[in-house]
Amino acid sequence: MGEGFPIYTWLLDILKTEYDEVRLLKEGPRGSVRLLRHRATGRRFVLRRFTGSGEVYRKLLDCACSNLPMIYEVAEGEGETAVLEEYIQGDTLGFLLQGGLFTPEQTRKIVLQVCRALWVLHSLGAVHRDVKPENILLRGDEAVLIDFDAARLHKPALSADTQILGTTGFAAPEQYGLSQSDPRADIYSVGILINVMLTGQHPSRKLAEGRLGRVVDRCTHVNPQQRYQNVLRLMEAL
């Protein structure tokens, strides 16, 4: 049994005795996401259970950023990770894109907030690796980057990622085993995100026009050395 196993069983016991499941939000091959309600207070929370490491969630335990969800508890055991996190009421960018595209000004405002979330993650040594419309919630005017199941800590000693994760179309080329993904992989995904918000399409099919199109082009170079080298540079360009 791993070091975190007693915490894992304790957390699952607490969840059974003090929380009710409201509904299943998402289920896939790697795990599930459920909405829970705390019986005593009525407060709602999100429970994530997935196979894989919870190292990035643990890094976020003491982190307060309005563009990231609060992480309340992380426990690992039996080959999976359980995470109790803040429930954010709002629609995903993916859902909103079904109703139409965003203006350049709206896009800039939302993406700057996503960049703020990424700056915090990157400062902790983490790479999100799955920036896409479905992982961005809009809480009023506030964009919140969620879902760190594919995220990992950047380990300079490694030549490639130990596990290939990410979403086709949004994932940077290096996420397919060409080299280890670092913060520039997230910058690539942000470039795709900007283009999809403006045109509804991948930049390889239709590149956004004007200044934001030039930002997309720089973000999405195959060679990471030719992209913006950190999120602050990208924010300056935006």
Side-chain angles (χ1 to χ4, degrees):
M1 290 196 295
E3 188 180 335
F5 197 78
I7 300 172
Y8 176 81
T9 51
W10 168 83
L11 178 60
L12 293 192
D13 286 344
I14 291 287
L15 292 172
K16 282 176 194 164
T17 56
E18 297 185 15
Y19 293 80
D20 291 318
E21 182 177 327
V22 178
R23 67 176 183 274
L24 178 70
L25 297 174
K26 191 171 80 171
E27 193 161 32
R30 292 187 67 236
S32 64
V33 184
R34 288 176 161 80
L35 177 62
L36 305 183
R37 186 180 62 81
H38 188 247
R39 287 175 195 157
T41 65
R43 282 184 66 196
R44 292 189 287 181
F45 297 84
V46 166
L47 173 67
R48 294 181 180 275
R49 293 176 72 173
F50 62 96
T51 54
S53 169
E55 59 184 8
V56 174
Y57 284 104
R58 282 199 303 274
K59 283 274 190 181
L60 290 168
L61 270 169
D62 300 317
C63 179
C65 169
S66 59
N67 304 118
L68 291 167
M70 286 292 294
I71 306 300
Y72 300 113
E73 194 61 72
V74 182
E76 294 176 75
E78 298 179 355
E80 76 163 23
T81 297
V83 178
L84 190 67
E85 71 179 58
E86 176 186 11
Y87 170 64
I88 292 155
Q89 188 133 16
D91 293 317
T92 68
L93 213 51
F95 174 78
L96 294 170
L97 276 165
Q98 292 172 25
L101 301 175
F102 289 81
T103 67
E105 194 46 52
Q106 289 169 329
T107 301
R108 190 178 286 109
K109 185 178 176 184
I110 289 167
V111 172
L112 277 169
Q113 294 185 69
V114 172
C115 286
R116 282 189 207 112
L118 287 173
W119 177 247
V120 172
L121 277 178
H122 296 169
S123 299
L124 295 170
V127 187
H128 189 281
R129 298 206 305 161
D130 203 15
V131 178
K132 60 182 179 180
E134 289 72 26
N135 284 340
I136 297 160
L137 278 165
L138 286 190
R139 173 171 51 192
D141 290 336
E142 210 164 51
V144 184
L145 180 65
I146 62 167
D147 195 344
F148 313 107
D149 297 7
R152 63 189 296 281
L153 296 180
H154 178 60
K155 300 176 177 72
L158 298 180
S159 60
D161 291 348
T162 52
Q163 193 175 14
I164 296 171
L165 291 172
T167 299
T168 304
F170 286 87
E174 59 268 27
Q175 288 181 235
Y176 295 100
L178 300 179
S179 61
Q180 190 191 183
S181 52
D182 62 25
R184 295 171 299 183
D186 287 339
I187 287 168
Y188 180 98
S189 301
V190 170
I192 306 292
L193 175 73
I194 293 168
N195 208 78
V196 168
M197 289 175 73
L198 292 169
T199 71
Q201 296 189 53
H202 193 276
S204 61
R205 288 193 285 275
K206 182 182 180 181
L207 181 65
E209 296 177 353
R211 190 152 165 263
L212 284 176
R214 292 192 290 278
V215 170
V216 169
D217 187 55
R218 175 94 183 264
C219 286
T220 56
H221 273 290
V222 171
N223 182 352
Q225 297 284 358
Q226 294 180 318
R227 300 174 202 154
Y228 299 103
Q229 293 302 288
N230 59 56
V231 170
L232 288 186
R233 295 284 174 266
L234 172 54
M235 290 171 79
E236 284 169 10
L238 288 168

